[in-house]
């Protein structure tokens, strides 16, 4: 299984090379790659977000940056998982279903 993780803080995910996941990678059971979203950022400051249309508090991610990053790693049959507080709770049944995927992003 290939797992591609996209983050603006890829260094936070360095523990994926340790413990059981590190052993699984060494054994060739899983291939985990971490991609820096800022590699496809725009502008001098490497921005990946912008103010919301119409103003208001907070920031929104730029879809162009995500699109370029995903296009660089996606293969046929990949499943894209987007984490959100409004999403489904991750459980054992979901883990079982995702375990047969060729690629998870």
């Amino acid at each position: 299984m290939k797992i591609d993780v996209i983050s603006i803080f890829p260094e936070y995910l360095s523990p994926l090379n340790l413990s059981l996941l590190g052993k699984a990678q060494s054994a060739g059971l899983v291939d985990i790659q971490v991609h820096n979203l800022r590699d496809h950022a725009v502008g001098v400051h490497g921005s990946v977000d912008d103010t919301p249309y119409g103003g208001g508090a907070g920031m929104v991610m730029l879809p162009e940056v995500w699109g370029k990053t995903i296009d660089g790693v996606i293969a046929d049959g990949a499943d894209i998982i987007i984490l959100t507080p409004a999403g489904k709770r991750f459980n054992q049944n979901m883990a079982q279903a995702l375990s047969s995927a060729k690629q998870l992003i």
Side-chain angles (χ1 to χ4, degrees):
M1 172 188 290
K2 181 167 174 40
I3 300 173
D4 291 286
V5 181
I6 301 171
S7 174
I8 59 172
F9 302 111
E11 58 277 2
Y12 286 0
L13 301 165
S14 59
L16 293 175
N17 296 319
L18 305 173
S19 192
L20 291 177
L21 286 175
K23 289 180 182 179
Q25 289 185 80
S26 296
L29 299 173
V30 66
D31 176 20
I32 301 174
Q33 299 293 320
V34 179
H35 307 275
N36 190 344
L37 188 64
R38 292 190 191 278
D39 289 346
H40 297 283
V42 295
V44 177
H45 301 291
S47 297
V48 295
D49 54 9
D50 200 358
T51 54
Y53 180 77
M59 301 293 280
V60 294
M61 300 299 285
L62 292 167
E64 297 84 6
V65 178
W66 279 98
K68 288 178 184 178
T69 305
I70 291 170
D71 285 347
V73 299
I74 196 167
D76 287 339
D79 289 313
I80 299 176
I81 300 169
I82 300 172
L83 303 178
T84 171
K88 296 178 185 174
R89 182 179 295 230
F90 186 75
N91 60 31
Q92 188 63 39
N93 290 335
M94 190 181 296
Q96 184 69 36
L98 293 173
S99 70
S100 62
K102 288 176 29 180
Q103 180 187 19
L104 297 176
I105 299 174

